[in-house]
Amino acid sequence: MSVIPPYSFELFPPRTPAGWEKLPGLIKSLSTAKPEFFSVTYGAGGSDQEGTYDTLMKVVDECGIEAAPHLTCVGSSRAKIGELLDRYKSAGVRRIVALRGDLPATAQSNEAPGDFHYANELVEFIRERHGNHFQIEVAAYPETHPQANSVDTDFDAFVRKAQAGADSAITQYFFNADAYFDFAERCAKAGLKLPIIPGIMPITNHAQLTRFSAACGAEIPRWIRLRLELLKDDKDAIVDFGTDVIARLCENLIAGGAPGLHIYTLNQADPTLAILGRLRPA
Ligand code: FAD
């Protein structure tokens, strides 16, 4: 069996008081798997900056593992992003996931309102302002970003983020390992050296997965969709099936040379730990 590469876990700021109460326990459970770092989303699902900051600080307080905020630039100004970067630097943050963010539903084009139009401009700004202080992660789309004009223009946009100074990339989730290998090969042919870390989505809830996948352009293969339809509301059976599917995907990715894994935990420890448990040699 191949050696398991480093992995990281993604959290979102809790949306309810009960979620905040559970957060320390969640972080503690996940930290037992010794991830390289936690990342904390921003803006997705309506979370605000304080939510991201407070979640970040909870990670540091509870387990001392590195925590990286996601930073989106859509609709923001250079001054505001500059202040946020300064705040993160003062708080000891060394890694940032730099993103454009999703456009408002009313947007007429793929260009974001505000001082930054695309994520490559945010990466440039962070480098200009803070040199190499931050390790910068950017997003990659093996199945192509849903609003991209074409596969090629989307890949060119990714190359611009790498050239602007990204250190590493985390992909949107996917269920077809070949999409990842094809993307990684394209990057190698283009001379890009940055590691491309596959984003891994546990399967725990059919309706939620269908909703997320429609929004972010991830394809659910027909056989997975049909099996989930068959399992209906049998939560345990869905989690068992999902763990099998995702553990096998991770094994294929690792065997094919993926340099790491980034798991979208959905703020649940068990599915992530179950997947990783399968990967550990007995
Ligand atoms: P970009 O790389 O700027 O690309 C956006 C689109 O513009 C693409 O279609 C691209 O092809 C196109 N494009 C780029 N440059 C040009 C150009 N010069 N001309 C024309 N078209 C261009 N969202 C959140 O709100 N909060 C989060 O915390 C969050 N975390 C994420 C984490 C990961 C790992 C991933 C993969 C996504 C995350 N997202 C998050 C979603 C992300 O914000 C959206 O997918 C967003 O629509 C694109 O962000 P980006 O940084 O990839 O943008």
Side-chain angles (χ1 to χ4, degrees), residues 161-216:
K161 292 193 278 194
Q163 289 171 343
D167 295 295
S168 180
I170 300 172
T171 76
Q172 186 53 275
Y173 71 86
F174 53 85
F175 297 108
N176 181 348
D178 281 333
Y180 169 82
F181 292 129
D182 178 68
F183 186 83
E185 205 176 293
R186 249 186 127 174
C187 290
K189 279 192 188 141
L192 302 184
K193 301 270 189 282
L194 77 176
I196 312 292
I197 311 296
I200 303 295
M201 178 63 86
I203 298 177
T204 58
N205 178 315
H206 184 190
Q208 185 190 48
L209 186 72
T210 305
R211 206 174 57 245
F212 284 177
S213 303
C216 74

Side-chain angles (χ1 to χ4, degrees), residues 41-42 70 99-102 110 118-119 141 145 154 160-161:
T41 64
Y42 165 62
H70 293 207
L99 303 146
R100 182 194 69 175
D102 282 322
N110 195 9
Y118 299 106
Y141 301 86
H145 185 265
D154 200 39
R160 278 195 292 277
K161 292 193 278 194

Side-chain angles (χ1 to χ4, degrees), residues 63-242:
C63 67
I65 293 175
E66 183 183 6
H70 293 207
L71 178 57
T72 64
C73 57
V74 64
S76 197
S77 65
R78 290 171 76 86
K80 270 198 200 144
I81 296 283
E83 275 170 28
L84 248 182
L85 288 170
D86 292 348
R87 185 183 188 198
Y88 283 138
K89 192 174 183 179
S90 308
V93 169
R94 298 302 302 243
R95 187 191 297 254
I96 285 193
V97 182
L99 303 146
R100 182 194 69 175
D102 282 322
L103 300 180
T106 50
Q108 301 289 315
S109 77
N110 195 9
E111 195 174 290
D115 283 351
F116 301 92
H117 305 110
Y118 299 106
N120 63 299
E121 297 162 28
L122 175 61
V123 176
E124 268 166 33
F125 181 70
I126 299 173
R127 284 282 175 250
E128 258 168 45
R129 204 167 157 119
H130 292 288
N132 286 332
H133 176 81
F134 294 110
Q135 153 117 11
I136 303 179
E137 315 273 341
V138 290
Y141 301 86
E143 294 185 321
T144 303
H145 185 265
Q147 278 111 38
N149 292 331
S150 74
V151 175
D152 282 346
T153 57
D154 200 39
F155 186 73
D156 293 345
F158 179 71
V159 173
R160 278 195 292 277
K161 292 193 278 194
Q163 289 171 343
D167 295 295
S168 180
I170 300 172
T171 76
Q172 186 53 275
Y173 71 86
F174 53 85
F175 297 108
N176 181 348
D178 281 333
Y180 169 82
F181 292 129
D182 178 68
F183 186 83
E185 205 176 293
R186 249 186 127 174
C187 290
K189 279 192 188 141
L192 302 184
K193 301 270 189 282
L194 77 176
I196 312 292
I197 311 296
I200 303 295
M201 178 63 86
I203 298 177
T204 58
N205 178 315
H206 184 190
Q208 185 190 48
L209 186 72
T210 305
R211 206 174 57 245
F212 284 177
S213 303
C216 74
E219 187 176 70
I220 306 178
R222 178 179 155 83
W223 70 275
I224 295 183
R225 191 167 46 75
L226 291 178
R227 288 289 298 278
L228 289 172
E229 280 169 14
L230 204 66
L231 297 173
K232 291 206 171 68
D233 296 328
D234 186 340
K235 283 190 187 153
D236 291 345
I238 291 176
V239 170
D240 283 350
F241 170 69

